[in-house]
Amino acid sequence: MRFAVMVALCILLQFCGSKEMLPQDLLGYSLVDRTVGTEAQKIVNKIHLKPVTDTPNEIGYYQKGDDKAIIYITNYSSDDDAQADLIKMVDKISPQNSVFLNGGQVEINKITAHRYFGMGQTHFIFRVDNILVWLSVDTMIANEFLESYLQKIN
């Protein structure tokens, strides 16, 4: 009996301790749809026109009126694996072979995010521990949206 209670407590603590990476609302934007697991992995691979990930993915679709934002989440087994893929992504995004322009970095809430412009939005790529995040949102509110996001998940 004592063992069963301890196992249940461990499972509960693990569930409660996990970060919610797709908050229900951000800066007036509501989470209107969420794709997880294999379906999210298929979407991420389709965007890149080839398989790029075999790790668990989540995609959050946000909307405020006609304005939309999207957050892609990829979970890795370690911080080092997430950092390695972050570096690969940043290295592949360059003006010579990309739809993204004017790469740079911003630091908000002790997180360094790589920022790019393209397709009518600002795109941020960054890592939070073992989680890689790609966030795309309207350029006019991009930094404020990122700051709100980082406050919600920390």
Side-chain angles (χ1 to χ4, degrees):
M1 178 69 171
R2 197 185 272 188
F3 178 75
V5 170
M6 288 181 66
V7 168
L9 183 59
C10 286
I11 291 171
L12 180 62
L13 288 173
Q14 182 179 9
F15 176 74
C16 292
S18 65
K19 286 186 180 185
E20 176 52 58
M21 298 301 291
L22 296 174
Q24 290 298 311
D25 64 277
L26 285 165
L27 208 63
Y29 284 69
S30 298
L31 179 64
V32 294
D33 199 6
R34 179 184 200 140
T35 305
V36 298
T38 305
E39 193 59 35
Q41 181 181 359
K42 286 178 186 176
I43 291 169
V44 169
N45 289 337
K46 184 177 179 180
I47 288 169
H48 293 89
L49 305 175
K50 64 180 180 179
V52 293
T53 181
D54 58 359
T55 59
N57 289 264
E58 297 178 75
I59 304 170
Y61 303 90
Y62 291 84
Q63 191 163 349
K64 178 182 179 182
D66 292 335
D67 297 329
K68 296 178 181 180
I70 189 165
I71 300 174
Y72 299 90
I73 304 292
T74 304
N75 294 279
Y76 291 85
S77 58
S78 72
D79 295 6
D80 290 340
D81 289 347
Q83 181 65 24
D85 269 7
L86 173 64
I87 291 168
K88 284 182 201 173
M89 289 175 74
V90 169
D91 287 345
K92 286 183 179 180
I93 298 174
S94 67
Q96 294 80 22
N97 64 358
S98 178
V99 296
F100 301 106
L101 305 169
N102 300 328
Q105 292 182 346
V106 294
E107 186 167 327
I108 298 176
N109 295 351
K110 299 181 183 177
I111 298 288
T112 299
H114 299 268
R115 178 180 58 199
Y116 300 93
F117 303 99
M119 298 181 288
Q121 292 186 312
T122 296
H123 308 269
F124 295 103
I125 310 164
F126 56 94
R127 180 181 65 83
V128 178
D129 301 325
N130 67 319
I131 299 168
L132 188 62
V133 179
W134 180 297
L135 185 155
S136 300
V137 66
D138 179 79
T139 297
M140 297 302 288
I141 62 151
N143 285 357
E144 190 178 3
F145 192 90
L146 175 61
E147 187 172 350
S148 176
Y149 177 72
L150 292 172
Q151 287 174 351
K152 290 263 183 163
I153 64 167
N154 285 325

